[in-house]
Amino acid sequence: MGTIFNHAASLAVLAPVFGDTYNRAQAANSKEEFFKSKEAASAAAAWGTSIIGSAVQSYGVGALINATGTLSYKGAAYLGSLIFMASSAPGVISQVFTERRPMDTVAVGALARVFETVGLSLFLTWWGTRTNPFD
């Protein structure tokens, strides 16, 4: 379930890529022509890496929830916040101060990462994780 949640959050960010790919598929003369195009390969690669990354991240967050014994939503929010600060905050800071990207672009990316970390940990706490696979 965590993979589906996390993948949905990732697709929200990748939606413009898939929307553009869909429009090009409609404009293509044939299905064969579209499937041989660079756009189709790019969209397939983005989707594949997104689902694999979602699965790995969901497993890691679930393992951290189990390892820390997190049972409350407050604890899950703290854990997700720590994961966000460790994994995404340096990139956000770099985008703002070093790369000088537009704030709306940085904010959308940061919000997606908050859903992928804090939201995922809250969702997995709500759904429940197996604490001991040998029981």
Side-chain angles (χ1 to χ4, degrees), residues 71-135:
L71 299 174
S72 68
Y73 294 119
K74 183 178 179 181
Y78 283 143
L79 182 64
S81 298
L82 287 172
I83 295 168
F84 173 79
M85 292 299 175
S87 63
S88 298
V92 170
I93 293 168
S94 172
Q95 289 174 358
V96 170
F97 295 110
T98 306
E99 299 172 15
R100 306 236 187 253
R101 290 194 182 176
M103 288 304 292
D104 57 344
T105 306
V106 175
V108 168
L111 184 63
R113 300 305 176 260
V114 167
F115 276 116
E116 291 175 359
T117 54
V118 179
L120 180 63
S121 64
L122 289 169
F123 178 77
L124 288 177
T125 299
W126 172 78
W127 186 265
T129 57
R130 284 189 353 192
T131 56
N132 188 354
F134 300 112
D135 282 346

Side-chain angles (χ1 to χ4, degrees), residues 1-127:
M1 289 307 297
T3 301
I4 294 169
F5 177 87
N6 208 17
H7 188 61
S10 295
L11 286 180
V13 175
L14 291 174
V17 172
F18 290 118
D20 187 42
T21 302
Y22 178 76
N23 291 336
R24 290 180 192 219
Q26 294 295 332
N29 292 334
S30 67
K31 290 181 183 178
E32 292 81 21
E33 178 185 327
F34 171 71
F35 286 121
K36 292 179 182 178
S37 69
K38 287 183 181 180
E39 290 85 10
S42 175
W47 185 82
T49 56
S50 175
I51 193 106
I52 291 170
S54 296
V56 170
Q57 186 171 7
S58 297
Y59 178 80
V61 171
L64 281 172
I65 288 171
N66 289 339
T68 58
T70 303
L71 299 174
S72 68
Y73 294 119
K74 183 178 179 181
Y78 283 143
L79 182 64
S81 298
L82 287 172
I83 295 168
F84 173 79
M85 292 299 175
S87 63
S88 298
V92 170
I93 293 168
S94 172
Q95 289 174 358
V96 170
F97 295 110
T98 306
E99 299 172 15
R100 306 236 187 253
R101 290 194 182 176
M103 288 304 292
D104 57 344
T105 306
V106 175
V108 168
L111 184 63
R113 300 305 176 260
V114 167
F115 276 116
E116 291 175 359
T117 54
V118 179
L120 180 63
S121 64
L122 289 169
F123 178 77
L124 288 177
T125 299
W126 172 78
W127 186 265

